Amino acid sequence: MATNKNKSYYHTHTGRMLVLFAVLILGGSACAALIIFGKKEVALTPPLDTRPKVVAQPLTIVNYQTKISLSGVLQPAEKTDVAFELNGKIAWLNDKFIEGGIVKKGDILAKLDPFDYETEVKDKQASLALAQANLSEELAKAAVAKKEWAHNPNSTALALRKPQVESAKARLKAAQASLERANKNLSRTQYYAPFDALIASRTTGLGQVVSKTQALGQLINLNYGEIHVPIAGFDRAFLPALPLENVQVSANDTLRTGTLTRHLGRFSEQTRMAYYVIKIHDPYALYTAQSPLYFGQFVEAKVNGVTLNNVLKVPQAQLRNNAVWLLDANQTLAKHSAPIIRKEQDFVLLPAPLEPHFQLVTQLPEYPQQGMQVNLQAVTVQLADKGAKQ
């Protein structure tokens, strides 16, 4: 009986030990599995980034040549009234001497009846011939008197006919001057265009009797024209020294170049703008193959101003209270407050920051702060598929 009890106790104790060992193995396996799978789950879940998101782009620091946009009306620089210096009757008119006609320098525009002035020339020619004959006669008489008084020490100038010779010479000079005046008056019966001109108006007709200096019409000089352009004070500060050549002038599809020559010395009472002059050579393109510009035509001009060195070129949309936000290498916001040097079109020019490693923030958080840590977002550009519209 004792032997059976011992065997029963042994089997019971051994079975319990096996069960306990199996539980320990299963528990250890479960813990190991939890640890392994727990680590994998933690690795798949990154920590939450609460920094505000921003978008930035590299700074554009340039040496910028300013541009000044101007506009005005092309107008004549010189006008001249057509008028004879003599009285007379209009005997001939040039076919181009009509409003809108164009004549070249030296073209005859009108002629007076020359009869009276031709007659005067002939009269003065006759007077000159008489004066020459009179001088020849006095010279001959003086030669005879000189021989007669050659051995007489008491001879006088009058006896030698010296005063008579001088008088004859004076009358000859007067006759020559009268003939020159008569020839000049004859030439004045024809009116020559003083320059290449556009006929602005004509107020005379064939056969009309006109008096001296009476206006017969008006000419406009076509050698050059002028555009009077107002320039505001904030633009005048960027004008280089005058004269300034290669000013781009345009009207519709016509492109020309001119020269900004001078300041007119006056300001507009209403706008307080200063007026300057752009000079256009040969505006009607008489001697070039360029397209013409016409007086009275509205034109626009582009002037190259001074160059601004080391400036930050920023879209106006990025400007907030005269400042822009920058991003440093540590993704920290920095406020760049600087005076605006100039505004042109849709951008502004500011003094560049001293440190060039910043980026320009183009998309800010709602409440940006100096020194705020942010999360820079990469800008992705989606390319169009092949064959799709660009």
Side-chain angles (χ1 to χ4, degrees):
M1 292 294 294
T3 300
N4 291 336
K5 287 183 181 181
N6 290 334
K7 290 181 179 180
S8 177
Y9 175 78
Y10 174 77
H11 288 299
T12 302
H13 182 71
T14 301
R16 288 179 178 177
M17 291 295 291
L18 291 174
V19 171
L20 180 60
F21 185 72
V23 170
L24 288 175
I25 291 174
L26 292 174
S29 299
C31 290
L34 288 175
I35 291 173
I36 293 172
F37 288 112
K39 286 183 177 180
K40 290 183 179 179
E41 185 177 354
V42 170
L44 293 174
T45 305
L48 183 62
D49 190 349
T50 60
R51 295 177 299 170
K53 297 179 180 180
V54 298
V55 177
Q57 66 183 28
L59 290 182
T60 305
I61 298 177
V62 295
N63 294 332
Y64 183 79
Q65 184 174 47
T66 57
K67 303 286 185 180
I68 302 174
S69 298
L70 306 173
S71 61
V73 176
L74 180 64
Q75 52 188 319
E78 183 179 7
K79 297 180 180 180
T80 298
D81 289 335
V82 178
F84 283 107
E85 299 178 64
L86 307 169
N87 301 324
K89 182 174 69 174
I90 302 295
W92 181 85
L93 291 173
N94 192 324
D95 292 338
K96 297 179 180 179
F97 187 30
I98 55 175
E99 185 174 354
I102 294 178
V103 295
K104 298 294 184 67
K105 180 179 180 180
D107 287 351
I108 299 176
L109 301 184
K111 296 180 182 180
L112 292 176
D113 184 354
F115 176 78
D116 292 341
Y117 301 98
E118 290 174 344
T119 303
E120 183 180 4
V121 169
K122 293 176 181 179
D123 180 63
K124 300 305 179 182
Q125 288 173 342
S127 298
L128 178 60
L130 288 175
Q132 289 174 335
N134 184 48
L135 176 59
S136 298
E137 182 180 354
E138 289 298 332
L139 289 173
K141 290 180 180 179
V144 173
K146 185 177 181 180
K147 290 180 180 180
E148 291 178 349
W149 291 88
H151 303 289
N152 189 342
N154 297 321
S155 62
T156 62
L158 183 61
L160 296 175
R161 302 193 66 84
K162 290 183 179 179
Q164 291 86 335
V165 170
E166 295 300 322
S167 178
K169 288 181 178 179
R171 287 194 295 270
L172 177 61
K173 288 183 179 180
Q176 289 173 336
S178 296
L179 179 59
E180 290 176 359
R181 186 183 302 109
N183 283 322
K184 185 64 175 179
N185 285 338
L186 181 60
S187 69
R188 287 171 176 167
T189 60
Q190 298 179 351
Y191 188 93
Y192 297 87
F195 40 67
D196 297 338
L198 171 71
I199 309 301
S201 64
R202 195 188 83 182
T203 58
T204 188
L206 192 63
Q208 181 177 351
V209 177
V210 296
S211 58
K212 182 170 61 175
T213 70
Q214 178 182 337
L216 311 179
Q218 190 177 66
L219 306 180
I220 295 176
N221 193 338
L222 290 181
N223 291 324
Y224 63 97
E226 292 183 343
I227 309 168
H228 293 186
V229 291
I231 302 181
F234 57 81
D235 279 332
R236 292 199 303 273
F238 299 95
L239 277 178
L242 301 182
L244 181 61
E245 298 181 351
N246 297 321
V247 175
Q248 300 300 312
V249 177
S250 63
N252 299 327
D253 295 331
T254 302
L255 297 177
R256 300 290 295 272
T257 58
T259 303
L260 187 65
T261 59
R262 68 188 190 277
H263 178 224
L264 284 178
R266 60 184 176 88
F267 291 79
S268 169
E269 296 181 358
Q270 289 76 26
T271 63
R272 306 310 303 163
M273 289 186 175
Y275 280 88
Y276 287 75
V277 174
I278 299 176
K279 187 175 182 179
I280 305 293
H281 288 281
D282 190 20
Y284 278 53
L286 300 181
Y287 301 103
T288 65
Q290 295 178 304
S291 299
L293 293 173
Y294 298 102
F295 293 126
Q297 192 170 9
F298 181 81
V299 296
E300 296 179 342
K302 298 289 184 182
V303 174
N304 292 327
V306 297
T307 299
L308 303 176
N309 296 319
N310 196 34
V311 292
L312 180 62
K313 186 178 178 181
V314 180
Q316 290 197 31
Q318 305 302 325
L319 192 68
R320 296 189 178 185
N321 298 323
N322 292 340
V324 292
W325 288 91
L326 306 178
L327 185 67
D328 64 15
N330 298 320
Q331 297 193 13
T332 301
L333 288 182
K335 188 176 183 181
H336 179 57
S337 298
I340 297 175
I341 301 176
R342 181 168 175 79
K343 292 182 179 181
E344 282 193 13
Q345 299 174 358
D346 58 348
F347 60 86
V348 295
L349 299 169
L350 306 171
L354 298 178
E355 300 180 9
H357 63 275
F358 287 104
Q359 296 186 69
L360 175 67
V361 180
T362 58
Q363 291 185 15
L364 282 167
E366 187 173 359
Y367 299 105
Q369 298 294 328
Q370 178 76 20
M372 175 185 286
Q373 287 288 329
V374 294
N375 182 10
L376 177 62
Q377 299 294 299
V379 178
T380 59
V381 179
Q382 184 176 1
L383 298 177
D385 294 336
K386 185 177 181 180
K389 293 182 178 180
Q390 298 296 321

